PDB file of all heavy atoms in Angstrom:
ATOM      1  N   ARG A 914      -6.797 -10.256   7.645  1.00  0.00           N
ATOM      2  CA  ARG A 914      -7.443  -8.981   7.315  1.00  0.00           C
ATOM      3  C   ARG A 914      -8.935  -8.986   7.639  1.00  0.00           C
ATOM      4  O   ARG A 914      -9.572  -7.955   7.598  1.00  0.00           O
ATOM      5  CB  ARG A 914      -7.225  -8.640   5.848  1.00  0.00           C
ATOM      6  CG  ARG A 914      -8.074  -9.429   4.857  1.00  0.00           C
ATOM      7  CD  ARG A 914      -7.730  -9.110   3.430  1.00  0.00           C
ATOM      8  NE  ARG A 914      -6.425  -9.618   3.072  1.00  0.00           N
ATOM      9  CZ  ARG A 914      -5.981  -9.713   1.816  1.00  0.00           C
ATOM     10  NH1 ARG A 914      -6.734  -9.287   0.824  1.00  0.00           N
ATOM     11  NH2 ARG A 914      -4.798 -10.208   1.536  1.00  0.00           N
ATOM     12  N   PHE A 915      -9.487 -10.157   7.963  1.00  0.00           N
ATOM     13  CA  PHE A 915     -10.901 -10.239   8.326  1.00  0.00           C
ATOM     14  C   PHE A 915     -11.124 -10.185   9.832  1.00  0.00           C
ATOM     15  O   PHE A 915     -12.252 -10.300  10.292  1.00  0.00           O
ATOM     16  CB  PHE A 915     -11.521 -11.525   7.767  1.00  0.00           C
ATOM     17  CG  PHE A 915     -11.390 -11.657   6.275  1.00  0.00           C
ATOM     18  CD1 PHE A 915     -11.013 -12.862   5.709  1.00  0.00           C
ATOM     19  CD2 PHE A 915     -11.606 -10.565   5.448  1.00  0.00           C
ATOM     20  CE1 PHE A 915     -10.884 -12.986   4.334  1.00  0.00           C
ATOM     21  CE2 PHE A 915     -11.481 -10.673   4.080  1.00  0.00           C
ATOM     22  CZ  PHE A 915     -11.119 -11.891   3.513  1.00  0.00           C
ATOM     23  N   GLU A 916     -10.055 -10.030  10.605  1.00  0.00           N
ATOM     24  CA  GLU A 916     -10.229  -9.853  12.044  1.00  0.00           C
ATOM     25  C   GLU A 916     -10.869  -8.494  12.300  1.00  0.00           C
ATOM     26  O   GLU A 916     -10.675  -7.532  11.543  1.00  0.00           O
ATOM     27  CB  GLU A 916      -8.880  -9.953  12.751  1.00  0.00           C
ATOM     28  CG  GLU A 916      -8.258 -11.349  12.670  1.00  0.00           C
ATOM     29  CD  GLU A 916      -6.905 -11.421  13.333  1.00  0.00           C
ATOM     30  OE1 GLU A 916      -6.463 -10.388  13.882  1.00  0.00           O
ATOM     31  OE2 GLU A 916      -6.275 -12.495  13.303  1.00  0.00           O
ATOM     32  N   GLN A 917     -11.621  -8.400  13.371  1.00  0.00           N
ATOM     33  CA  GLN A 917     -12.436  -7.213  13.629  1.00  0.00           C
ATOM     34  C   GLN A 917     -11.617  -5.937  13.672  1.00  0.00           C
ATOM     35  O   GLN A 917     -12.048  -4.890  13.195  1.00  0.00           O
ATOM     36  CB  GLN A 917     -13.206  -7.387  14.943  1.00  0.00           C
ATOM     37  CG  GLN A 917     -14.151  -6.224  15.254  1.00  0.00           C
ATOM     38  CD  GLN A 917     -15.039  -6.520  16.445  1.00  0.00           C
ATOM     39  OE1 GLN A 917     -15.455  -7.645  16.652  1.00  0.00           O
ATOM     40  NE2 GLN A 917     -15.317  -5.498  17.242  1.00  0.00           N
ATOM     41  N   GLU A 918     -10.391  -6.007  14.194  1.00  0.00           N
ATOM     42  CA  GLU A 918      -9.589  -4.787  14.334  1.00  0.00           C
ATOM     43  C   GLU A 918      -9.152  -4.228  12.978  1.00  0.00           C
ATOM     44  O   GLU A 918      -8.825  -3.048  12.861  1.00  0.00           O
ATOM     45  CB  GLU A 918      -8.363  -5.061  15.202  1.00  0.00           C
ATOM     46  CG  GLU A 918      -7.435  -6.122  14.648  1.00  0.00           C
ATOM     47  CD  GLU A 918      -6.274  -6.404  15.587  1.00  0.00           C
ATOM     48  OE1 GLU A 918      -5.500  -5.471  15.850  1.00  0.00           O
ATOM     49  OE2 GLU A 918      -6.159  -7.552  16.064  1.00  0.00           O
ATOM     50  N   TYR A 919      -9.133  -5.089  11.931  1.00  0.00           N
ATOM     51  CA  TYR A 919      -8.726  -4.635  10.609  1.00  0.00           C
ATOM     52  C   TYR A 919      -9.910  -4.429   9.678  1.00  0.00           C
ATOM     53  O   TYR A 919      -9.803  -3.738   8.674  1.00  0.00           O
ATOM     54  CB  TYR A 919      -7.774  -5.640   9.968  1.00  0.00           C
ATOM     55  CG  TYR A 919      -6.539  -5.913  10.787  1.00  0.00           C
ATOM     56  CD1 TYR A 919      -6.366  -7.121  11.457  1.00  0.00           C
ATOM     57  CD2 TYR A 919      -5.534  -4.947  10.898  1.00  0.00           C
ATOM     58  CE1 TYR A 919      -5.232  -7.364  12.225  1.00  0.00           C
ATOM     59  CE2 TYR A 919      -4.403  -5.182  11.654  1.00  0.00           C
ATOM     60  CZ  TYR A 919      -4.256  -6.398  12.315  1.00  0.00           C
ATOM     61  OH  TYR A 919      -3.144  -6.642  13.062  1.00  0.00           O
ATOM     62  N   PHE A 920     -11.029  -5.061  10.000  1.00  0.00           N
ATOM     63  CA  PHE A 920     -12.163  -5.053   9.094  1.00  0.00           C
ATOM     64  C   PHE A 920     -12.826  -3.676   9.112  1.00  0.00           C
ATOM     65  O   PHE A 920     -13.161  -3.174  10.172  1.00  0.00           O
ATOM     66  CB  PHE A 920     -13.171  -6.127   9.518  1.00  0.00           C
ATOM     67  CG  PHE A 920     -14.058  -6.584   8.404  1.00  0.00           C
ATOM     68  CD1 PHE A 920     -13.591  -7.471   7.451  1.00  0.00           C
ATOM     69  CD2 PHE A 920     -15.354  -6.121   8.306  1.00  0.00           C
ATOM     70  CE1 PHE A 920     -14.410  -7.894   6.429  1.00  0.00           C
ATOM     71  CE2 PHE A 920     -16.179  -6.527   7.282  1.00  0.00           C
ATOM     72  CZ  PHE A 920     -15.702  -7.430   6.337  1.00  0.00           C
ATOM     73  N   PRO A 921     -13.047  -3.075   7.949  1.00  0.00           N
ATOM     74  CA  PRO A 921     -13.529  -1.680   7.933  1.00  0.00           C
ATOM     75  C   PRO A 921     -14.940  -1.493   8.463  1.00  0.00           C
ATOM     76  O   PRO A 921     -15.295  -0.406   8.909  1.00  0.00           O
ATOM     77  CB  PRO A 921     -13.464  -1.307   6.442  1.00  0.00           C
ATOM     78  CG  PRO A 921     -13.494  -2.610   5.723  1.00  0.00           C
ATOM     79  CD  PRO A 921     -12.770  -3.580   6.614  1.00  0.00           C
ATOM     80  N   ALA A 922     -15.760  -2.551   8.429  1.00  0.00           N
ATOM     81  CA  ALA A 922     -17.149  -2.369   8.857  1.00  0.00           C
ATOM     82  C   ALA A 922     -17.301  -2.389  10.360  1.00  0.00           C
ATOM     83  O   ALA A 922     -18.284  -1.891  10.896  1.00  0.00           O
ATOM     84  CB  ALA A 922     -18.024  -3.465   8.250  1.00  0.00           C
ATOM     85  N   GLY A 923     -16.332  -2.985  11.050  1.00  0.00           N
ATOM     86  CA  GLY A 923     -16.450  -3.099  12.500  1.00  0.00           C
ATOM     87  C   GLY A 923     -17.541  -4.081  12.878  1.00  0.00           C
ATOM     88  O   GLY A 923     -17.895  -4.966  12.112  1.00  0.00           O
ATOM     89  N   PRO A 924     -18.128  -3.924  14.049  1.00  0.00           N
ATOM     90  CA  PRO A 924     -19.149  -4.871  14.509  1.00  0.00           C
ATOM     91  C   PRO A 924     -20.471  -4.656  13.777  1.00  0.00           C
ATOM     92  O   PRO A 924     -20.678  -3.674  13.080  1.00  0.00           O
ATOM     93  CB  PRO A 924     -19.292  -4.520  15.993  1.00  0.00           C
ATOM     94  CG  PRO A 924     -18.903  -3.074  16.065  1.00  0.00           C
ATOM     95  CD  PRO A 924     -17.830  -2.892  15.030  1.00  0.00           C
ATOM     96  N   GLY A 925     -21.384  -5.603  13.946  1.00  0.00           N
ATOM     97  CA  GLY A 925     -22.715  -5.465  13.391  1.00  0.00           C
ATOM     98  C   GLY A 925     -22.945  -6.190  12.084  1.00  0.00           C
ATOM     99  O   GLY A 925     -24.007  -6.058  11.479  1.00  0.00           O
ATOM    100  N   LEU A 926     -21.974  -6.966  11.596  1.00  0.00           N
ATOM    101  CA  LEU A 926     -22.149  -7.715  10.360  1.00  0.00           C
ATOM    102  C   LEU A 926     -23.036  -8.934  10.604  1.00  0.00           C
ATOM    103  O   LEU A 926     -23.123  -9.455  11.716  1.00  0.00           O
ATOM    104  CB  LEU A 926     -20.799  -8.164   9.814  1.00  0.00           C
ATOM    105  CG  LEU A 926     -19.869  -7.059   9.325  1.00  0.00           C
ATOM    106  CD1 LEU A 926     -18.510  -7.637   8.960  1.00  0.00           C
ATOM    107  CD2 LEU A 926     -20.463  -6.339   8.140  1.00  0.00           C
ATOM    108  N   CYS A 927     -23.669  -9.418   9.520  1.00  0.00           N
ATOM    109  CA  CYS A 927     -24.524 -10.592   9.626  1.00  0.00           C
ATOM    110  C   CYS A 927     -24.296 -11.474   8.407  1.00  0.00           C
ATOM    111  O   CYS A 927     -23.521 -11.136   7.512  1.00  0.00           O
ATOM    112  CB  CYS A 927     -25.986 -10.183   9.754  1.00  0.00           C
ATOM    113  SG  CYS A 927     -26.630  -9.350   8.275  1.00  0.00           S
ATOM    114  N   ARG A 928     -24.985 -12.623   8.349  1.00  0.00           N
ATOM    115  CA  ARG A 928     -24.785 -13.579   7.266  1.00  0.00           C
ATOM    116  C   ARG A 928     -25.180 -13.016   5.903  1.00  0.00           C
ATOM    117  O   ARG A 928     -24.720 -13.514   4.880  1.00  0.00           O
ATOM    118  CB  ARG A 928     -25.587 -14.858   7.550  1.00  0.00           C
ATOM    119  CG  ARG A 928     -25.027 -15.689   8.684  1.00  0.00           C
ATOM    120  CD  ARG A 928     -23.611 -16.141   8.380  1.00  0.00           C
ATOM    121  NE  ARG A 928     -23.024 -16.873   9.510  1.00  0.00           N
ATOM    122  CZ  ARG A 928     -21.739 -17.082   9.662  1.00  0.00           C
ATOM    123  NH1 ARG A 928     -20.888 -16.616   8.762  1.00  0.00           N
ATOM    124  NH2 ARG A 928     -21.282 -17.752  10.704  1.00  0.00           N
ATOM    125  N   GLU A 929     -26.037 -12.005   5.880  1.00  0.00           N
ATOM    126  CA  GLU A 929     -26.437 -11.389   4.621  1.00  0.00           C
ATOM    127  C   GLU A 929     -25.423 -10.356   4.137  1.00  0.00           C
ATOM    128  O   GLU A 929     -25.625  -9.733   3.096  1.00  0.00           O
ATOM    129  CB  GLU A 929     -27.819 -10.747   4.745  1.00  0.00           C
ATOM    130  CG  GLU A 929     -28.971 -11.735   4.793  1.00  0.00           C
ATOM    131  CD  GLU A 929     -28.994 -12.554   6.063  1.00  0.00           C
ATOM    132  OE1 GLU A 929     -28.724 -11.987   7.141  1.00  0.00           O
ATOM    133  OE2 GLU A 929     -29.253 -13.779   5.991  1.00  0.00           O
ATOM    134  N   ASP A 930     -24.336 -10.170   4.909  1.00  0.00           N
ATOM    135  CA  ASP A 930     -23.210  -9.355   4.455  1.00  0.00           C
ATOM    136  C   ASP A 930     -22.168 -10.285   3.847  1.00  0.00           C
ATOM    137  O   ASP A 930     -21.928 -11.386   4.358  1.00  0.00           O
ATOM    138  CB  ASP A 930     -22.597  -8.573   5.618  1.00  0.00           C
ATOM    139  CG  ASP A 930     -23.579  -7.575   6.227  1.00  0.00           C
ATOM    140  OD1 ASP A 930     -24.290  -6.909   5.458  1.00  0.00           O
ATOM    141  OD2 ASP A 930     -23.638  -7.489   7.471  1.00  0.00           O
ATOM    142  N   TYR A 931     -21.540  -9.837   2.746  1.00  0.00           N
ATOM    143  CA  TYR A 931     -20.641 -10.712   2.001  1.00  0.00           C
ATOM    144  C   TYR A 931     -19.254 -10.089   1.852  1.00  0.00           C
ATOM    145  O   TYR A 931     -19.127  -8.890   1.617  1.00  0.00           O
ATOM    146  CB  TYR A 931     -21.210 -10.992   0.605  1.00  0.00           C
ATOM    147  CG  TYR A 931     -22.565 -11.657   0.643  1.00  0.00           C
ATOM    148  CD1 TYR A 931     -23.729 -10.903   0.514  1.00  0.00           C
ATOM    149  CD2 TYR A 931     -22.684 -13.031   0.829  1.00  0.00           C
ATOM    150  CE1 TYR A 931     -24.980 -11.496   0.563  1.00  0.00           C
ATOM    151  CE2 TYR A 931     -23.932 -13.640   0.880  1.00  0.00           C
ATOM    152  CZ  TYR A 931     -25.075 -12.867   0.744  1.00  0.00           C
ATOM    153  OH  TYR A 931     -26.309 -13.464   0.800  1.00  0.00           O
ATOM    154  N   VAL A 932     -18.244 -10.941   1.990  1.00  0.00           N
ATOM    155  CA  VAL A 932     -16.871 -10.553   1.667  1.00  0.00           C
ATOM    156  C   VAL A 932     -16.420 -11.443   0.513  1.00  0.00           C
ATOM    157  O   VAL A 932     -16.469 -12.671   0.614  1.00  0.00           O
ATOM    158  CB  VAL A 932     -15.925 -10.725   2.867  1.00  0.00           C
ATOM    159  CG1 VAL A 932     -14.505 -10.341   2.462  1.00  0.00           C
ATOM    160  CG2 VAL A 932     -16.383  -9.867   4.030  1.00  0.00           C
ATOM    161  N   ILE A 933     -16.007 -10.829  -0.590  1.00  0.00           N
ATOM    162  CA  ILE A 933     -15.635 -11.561  -1.803  1.00  0.00           C
ATOM    163  C   ILE A 933     -14.131 -11.444  -2.012  1.00  0.00           C
ATOM    164  O   ILE A 933     -13.560 -10.345  -1.962  1.00  0.00           O
ATOM    165  CB  ILE A 933     -16.377 -11.009  -3.030  1.00  0.00           C
ATOM    166  CG1 ILE A 933     -17.899 -11.054  -2.801  1.00  0.00           C
ATOM    167  CG2 ILE A 933     -15.996 -11.801  -4.279  1.00  0.00           C
ATOM    168  CD1 ILE A 933     -18.704 -10.405  -3.916  1.00  0.00           C
ATOM    169  N   VAL A 934     -13.473 -12.572  -2.261  1.00  0.00           N
ATOM    170  CA  VAL A 934     -12.029 -12.620  -2.504  1.00  0.00           C
ATOM    171  C   VAL A 934     -11.800 -12.886  -3.989  1.00  0.00           C
ATOM    172  O   VAL A 934     -12.325 -13.858  -4.548  1.00  0.00           O
ATOM    173  CB  VAL A 934     -11.356 -13.710  -1.650  1.00  0.00           C
ATOM    174  CG1 VAL A 934      -9.853 -13.750  -1.925  1.00  0.00           C
ATOM    175  CG2 VAL A 934     -11.623 -13.465  -0.169  1.00  0.00           C
ATOM    176  N   CYS A 935     -10.973 -12.056  -4.635  1.00  0.00           N
ATOM    177  CA  CYS A 935     -10.748 -12.130  -6.082  1.00  0.00           C
ATOM    178  C   CYS A 935      -9.655 -13.121  -6.462  1.00  0.00           C
ATOM    179  O   CYS A 935      -8.692 -12.784  -7.163  1.00  0.00           O
ATOM    180  CB  CYS A 935     -10.416 -10.746  -6.630  1.00  0.00           C
ATOM    181  SG  CYS A 935     -11.792  -9.593  -6.601  1.00  0.00           S
ATOM    182  N   GLY A 936      -9.771 -14.344  -5.986  1.00  0.00           N
ATOM    183  CA  GLY A 936      -8.850 -15.399  -6.405  1.00  0.00           C
ATOM    184  C   GLY A 936      -7.673 -15.593  -5.480  1.00  0.00           C
ATOM    185  O   GLY A 936      -7.385 -14.769  -4.612  1.00  0.00           O
ATOM    186  N   ASP A 937      -6.951 -16.724  -5.688  1.00  0.00           N
ATOM    187  CA  ASP A 937      -5.868 -17.139  -4.785  1.00  0.00           C
ATOM    188  C   ASP A 937      -6.339 -17.069  -3.336  1.00  0.00           C
ATOM    189  O   ASP A 937      -5.678 -16.496  -2.466  1.00  0.00           O
ATOM    190  CB  ASP A 937      -4.615 -16.281  -4.996  1.00  0.00           C
ATOM    191  CG  ASP A 937      -3.830 -16.711  -6.230  1.00  0.00           C
ATOM    192  OD1 ASP A 937      -4.256 -17.677  -6.895  1.00  0.00           O
ATOM    193  OD2 ASP A 937      -2.802 -16.091  -6.535  1.00  0.00           O
ATOM    194  N   PHE A 938      -7.484 -17.677  -3.110  1.00  0.00           N
ATOM    195  CA  PHE A 938      -8.104 -17.674  -1.792  1.00  0.00           C
ATOM    196  C   PHE A 938      -7.258 -18.451  -0.788  1.00  0.00           C
ATOM    197  O   PHE A 938      -7.025 -17.992   0.333  1.00  0.00           O
ATOM    198  CB  PHE A 938      -9.511 -18.273  -1.901  1.00  0.00           C
ATOM    199  CG  PHE A 938     -10.214 -18.454  -0.591  1.00  0.00           C
ATOM    200  CD1 PHE A 938     -10.655 -17.361   0.136  1.00  0.00           C
ATOM    201  CD2 PHE A 938     -10.458 -19.726  -0.084  1.00  0.00           C
ATOM    202  CE1 PHE A 938     -11.315 -17.526   1.345  1.00  0.00           C
ATOM    203  CE2 PHE A 938     -11.127 -19.904   1.117  1.00  0.00           C
ATOM    204  CZ  PHE A 938     -11.547 -18.796   1.834  1.00  0.00           C
ATOM    205  N   GLY A 939      -6.792 -19.635  -1.174  1.00  0.00           N
ATOM    206  CA  GLY A 939      -5.937 -20.397  -0.271  1.00  0.00           C
ATOM    207  C   GLY A 939      -6.417 -21.797   0.032  1.00  0.00           C
ATOM    208  O   GLY A 939      -6.133 -22.335   1.102  1.00  0.00           O
ATOM    209  N   ILE A 940      -7.152 -22.420  -0.910  1.00  0.00           N
ATOM    210  CA  ILE A 940      -7.466 -23.847  -0.777  1.00  0.00           C
ATOM    211  C   ILE A 940      -6.227 -24.595  -1.243  1.00  0.00           C
ATOM    212  O   ILE A 940      -5.977 -24.760  -2.436  1.00  0.00           O
ATOM    213  CB  ILE A 940      -8.691 -24.227  -1.627  1.00  0.00           C
ATOM    214  CG1 ILE A 940      -9.926 -23.451  -1.169  1.00  0.00           C
ATOM    215  CG2 ILE A 940      -8.952 -25.728  -1.553  1.00  0.00           C
ATOM    216  CD1 ILE A 940     -10.368 -23.765   0.242  1.00  0.00           C
ATOM    217  N   TRP A 941      -5.419 -25.036  -0.290  1.00  0.00           N
ATOM    218  CA  TRP A 941      -4.093 -25.545  -0.645  1.00  0.00           C
ATOM    219  C   TRP A 941      -3.859 -26.972  -0.153  1.00  0.00           C
ATOM    220  O   TRP A 941      -3.321 -27.803  -0.866  1.00  0.00           O
ATOM    221  CB  TRP A 941      -3.034 -24.609  -0.096  1.00  0.00           C
ATOM    222  CG  TRP A 941      -1.686 -24.755  -0.742  1.00  0.00           C
ATOM    223  CD1 TRP A 941      -0.526 -25.145  -0.142  1.00  0.00           C
ATOM    224  CD2 TRP A 941      -1.355 -24.513  -2.116  1.00  0.00           C
ATOM    225  NE1 TRP A 941       0.508 -25.149  -1.056  1.00  0.00           N
ATOM    226  CE2 TRP A 941       0.027 -24.774  -2.279  1.00  0.00           C
ATOM    227  CE3 TRP A 941      -2.093 -24.103  -3.221  1.00  0.00           C
ATOM    228  CZ2 TRP A 941       0.680 -24.634  -3.510  1.00  0.00           C
ATOM    229  CZ3 TRP A 941      -1.442 -23.968  -4.447  1.00  0.00           C
ATOM    230  CH2 TRP A 941      -0.074 -24.227  -4.579  1.00  0.00           C
ATOM    231  N   ASP A 942      -4.257 -27.272   1.079  1.00  0.00           N
ATOM    232  CA  ASP A 942      -4.049 -28.616   1.611  1.00  0.00           C
ATOM    233  C   ASP A 942      -5.079 -28.882   2.702  1.00  0.00           C
ATOM    234  O   ASP A 942      -5.970 -28.063   2.934  1.00  0.00           O
ATOM    235  CB  ASP A 942      -2.620 -28.797   2.148  1.00  0.00           C
ATOM    236  CG  ASP A 942      -2.245 -27.720   3.170  1.00  0.00           C
ATOM    237  OD1 ASP A 942      -3.098 -27.387   4.019  1.00  0.00           O
ATOM    238  OD2 ASP A 942      -1.107 -27.218   3.118  1.00  0.00           O
TER     239      ASP A 942
END
């Protein structure tokens, strides 16, 4: 869902832009 074609902001994001995941992120192995 973070690929550019699905991401709502489109191009132009930078390191000062944040995407926050509300748990079950996927640190598994």
